Amino acid sequence: MQRVPILKLGDILIVSIQVDLEDQGVLALQEDLAGAVVENGAKGVIIDITAVEIVDSFIGRMLATIASTCGMLDAQTVVVGMRPAVAITLVELGLSLGGVRTALNLEKGVALLDHIRSATR
């Protein structure tokens, strides 16, 4: 099973998913990311899904679960790079990803995290 790398940029962790994840890969990512948030004292997490072409209901629910888990650990999560087909599929599956913030790209995701953090200070 291939692990997804987690990069650190200041107090933000960046996860760039470059392959279509299997169920076990998503579960491993959830564990790895939660550990990295605690270990690094991260205040923000960006999950870049630009390369993801296909999602199913499990992957969609896990994105929401990952964001929720990070939130419990005091890190805001933004999903960036969602393709139109992925957004359409999630809507068709009835998955609104409630509570998950999204941005069009990495740059806008970082700006959104900065805005969120400055509003809560």
Side-chain angles (χ1 to χ4, degrees):
M1 174 179 57
Q2 187 176 7
R3 294 292 239 234
V4 176
I6 300 170
L7 307 172
K8 184 176 184 302
L9 177 66
D11 63 354
I12 297 174
L13 298 178
I14 300 172
V15 177
S16 182
I17 301 172
Q18 297 297 314
V19 295
D20 287 327
L21 291 176
E22 302 288 324
D23 293 355
Q24 290 301 318
V26 175
L27 293 172
L29 174 59
Q30 180 181 3
E31 289 179 27
D32 292 348
L33 191 51
V37 166
V38 171
E39 181 180 318
N40 294 290
K43 295 297 179 188
V45 173
I46 295 178
I47 302 174
D48 183 354
I49 61 170
T50 303
V52 176
E53 295 183 20
I54 300 171
V55 294
D56 60 15
S57 60
F58 179 76
I59 303 288
R61 282 192 311 273
M62 287 309 296
L63 283 173
T65 300
I66 288 169
S68 222
T69 301
C70 291
M72 295 289 247
L73 298 171
D74 197 28
Q76 299 293 321
T77 301
V78 178
V79 174
V80 303
M82 187 177 301
R83 293 172 181 239
V86 170
I88 291 167
T89 300
L90 289 172
V91 170
E92 287 175 348
L93 291 171
L95 299 171
S96 65
L97 299 185
V100 177
R101 292 177 176 90
T102 59
L104 291 177
N105 57 43
L106 183 59
E107 183 179 3
K108 291 183 184 216
V110 171
L112 178 57
L113 281 176
D114 286 343
H115 175 74
I116 292 167
R117 291 187 310 190
S118 67
T120 58
R121 288 185 193 156

